[in-house]
């Protein structure tokens, strides 16, 4: 039994050395060598979550998203509270356009990250990716609805044209009446689907693209350590004139802790570009 325990200890030490080697290779952008080192570490200690997430990060750098997903899922099986595993799984799912599941994993990572280290760099990074993912999710759903409306409209037009052809062959003496009726039906169809398309277009910018204080569209968004995004000028005014606390979480907040939220800024601009709003960020 003692010898067996010693063997396990030796394996764990060797695995840790391999992890350090993998970390060194990763910093030098030698991702293939890093993957080999982490793989050997996994072989020695397959239940160590860090080895799996480290290898997943290497696969991410190589854009091998299938392997990112595979390693991340394995890490989650070992530790369901792994922030990095949920985060990278979310990114991998977004690459497969699994937006709903991807957003869910990123939200899980954000919740875990805030609980473990609210001021850590991972929280900011996850939050920005989550904002981008929510926009992609909304855009995908909107595009899908647009295509469905277009297909339904085409089907209805075909049915009206078939009806018109049938009436023409049966009512040769009333061609003008048939033409007039057909024209009115096509106009009515066009009107109905135009109204349906307009109803599907957003009348407001999504909440996550608006300042949490003013509820206006974000132009110069900044993110706080707690993960909330505000308009820079508005939150600075709040800190100077009201109190040095985050207005939502009530946690202490200094101007130096505000970080530009570039992901939200890009998402706002993409939203405005797509929907033809008259102003720019």
């Amino acid at each position: 039994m003692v010898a067996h325990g010693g063997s396990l200890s030796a394996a764990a030490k060797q695995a840790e050395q391999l992890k350090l080697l993998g970390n060194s290779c990763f910093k030098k952008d030698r991702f293939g060598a890093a993957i080999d080192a982490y793989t050997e570490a996994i072989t020695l200690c397959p239940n160590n979550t860090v080895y799996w997430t480290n290898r997943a990060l290497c696969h991410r750098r190589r854009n091998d998203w299938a392997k990112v997903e595979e390693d991340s899922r394995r890490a989650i099986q070992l530790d369901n509270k792994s922030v990095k595993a949920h985060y990278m799984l979310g990114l991998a799912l977004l690459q497969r356009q699994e937006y709903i599941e991807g957003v869910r994993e990123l939200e899980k990572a954000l919740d875990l990250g805030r609980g473990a280290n609210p001021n850590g760099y991972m929280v900011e990074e996850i939050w920005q990716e989550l904002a981008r993912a929510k926009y992609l999710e909304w855009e995908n759903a909107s595009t899908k609805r647009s295509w469905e409306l277009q297909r339904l409209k085409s089907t209805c037009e075909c049915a009206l044209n078939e009806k018109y052809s049938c009436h023409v062959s049966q009512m040769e003496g009333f061609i003008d009446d048939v033409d007039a009726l057909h024209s009115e039906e096509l106009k009515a169809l066009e009107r109905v689907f135009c109204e349906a398309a307009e109803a599907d277009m957003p009348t407001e910018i999504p909440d996550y693209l608006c300042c949490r204080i003013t509820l206006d569209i974000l132009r110069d968004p900044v993110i706080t350590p707690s993960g909330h995004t505000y308009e820079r000028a508005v939150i600075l005014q709040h800190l100077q004139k009201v109190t040095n606390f985050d207005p939502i979480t009530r946690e202490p907040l200094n101007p130096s802790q505000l970080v530009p939220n570039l992901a939200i800024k890009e998402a706002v601009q993409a939203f405005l570009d797509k929907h033809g709003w008259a102003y720019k960020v």
Side-chain angles (χ1 to χ4, degrees):
M1 293 298 293
V2 175
H4 181 63
S7 177
L8 288 176
S9 177
K13 289 180 179 179
Q14 186 179 352
E16 278 298 297
Q17 289 299 317
L18 287 165
K19 185 193 77 171
L20 294 176
L21 175 60
N23 293 349
S24 177
C25 292
F26 181 86
K27 291 177 181 178
K28 298 175 182 178
D29 293 339
R30 297 174 56 205
F31 303 124
I35 288 172
D36 290 341
Y38 294 137
T39 299
E40 289 188 51
I42 288 170
T43 301
L44 292 169
C45 295
N47 293 328
N48 189 311
T49 307
V50 173
Y51 302 160
W52 292 94
T53 55
N54 282 7
R55 193 171 72 172
L57 183 57
C58 292
H59 292 315
R60 177 189 174 188
R61 290 296 186 88
R62 301 177 87 180
N63 291 318
D64 192 341
W65 292 102
K67 291 183 179 178
V68 172
E69 180 176 350
E70 182 180 339
D71 281 0
S72 297
R73 288 191 184 279
R74 177 56 178 160
I76 290 171
Q77 288 177 351
L78 295 171
D79 180 9
N80 192 43
K81 294 184 178 181
S82 170
V83 177
K84 289 184 178 180
H86 285 288
Y87 175 47
M88 285 190 286
L89 176 57
L91 295 180
L93 290 169
L94 292 179
Q95 291 293 321
R96 291 204 286 112
Q97 298 184 353
E98 296 287 345
Y99 298 114
I100 295 176
E101 292 297 325
V103 166
R104 184 178 298 131
E105 290 297 327
L106 291 179
E107 288 176 337
K108 177 74 171 177
L110 186 61
D111 288 341
L112 291 170
R114 284 174 174 169
N117 185 8
N119 299 322
Y121 77 95
M122 282 289 293
V123 170
E124 177 192 341
E125 182 178 334
I126 295 168
W127 176 260
Q128 293 191 6
E129 289 292 344
L130 180 57
R132 184 179 70 87
K134 285 186 175 180
Y135 174 77
L136 290 173
E137 180 185 15
W138 171 85
E139 184 178 48
N140 180 64
S142 178
T143 301
K144 183 179 179 180
R145 287 192 298 270
S146 296
W147 277 107
E148 289 173 347
L149 274 177
Q150 186 59 44
R151 287 196 297 268
L152 182 57
K153 180 184 176 184
S154 297
T155 300
C156 292
E157 287 177 342
C158 289
L160 287 178
N161 289 333
E162 289 179 5
K163 176 184 174 184
Y164 171 72
S165 299
C166 182
H167 283 180
V168 167
S169 63
Q170 295 176 359
M171 304 175 65
E172 295 182 0
F174 303 92
I175 296 299
D176 291 341
D177 292 340
V178 173
D179 286 344
L181 176 61
H182 182 59
S183 178
E184 288 300 319
E185 289 177 335
L186 288 177
K187 289 179 181 178
L189 181 68
E190 183 68 27
R191 183 169 58 253
V192 167
F193 279 94
C194 281
E195 291 175 356
E198 289 176 1
D200 190 50
M201 292 295 289
T203 56
E204 297 179 338
I205 291 183
D207 290 343
Y208 58 89
L209 299 183
C210 297
C211 176
R212 299 298 298 273
I213 298 176
T214 65
L215 302 182
D216 291 331
I217 182 174
L218 288 159
R219 296 175 179 273
D220 186 14
V222 291
I223 189 170
T224 68
S226 62
H228 294 291
T229 297
Y230 303 95
E231 182 68 23
R232 181 189 295 276
V234 174
I235 188 63
L236 286 176
Q237 184 180 41
H238 169 84
L239 295 175
Q240 293 168 2
K241 296 185 177 181
V242 183
T243 177
N244 286 327
F245 289 89
D246 187 305
I248 293 180
T249 66
R250 310 303 297 171
E251 296 176 0
L253 179 64
N254 294 317
S256 61
Q257 294 177 287
L258 301 175
V259 178
N261 194 332
L262 301 180
I264 286 290
K265 186 178 179 69
E266 292 177 1
V268 170
Q269 188 61 66
F271 180 90
L272 298 180
D273 289 343
K274 183 175 179 65
H275 297 290
W277 292 68
Y279 48 89
K280 297 289 183 182
V281 176

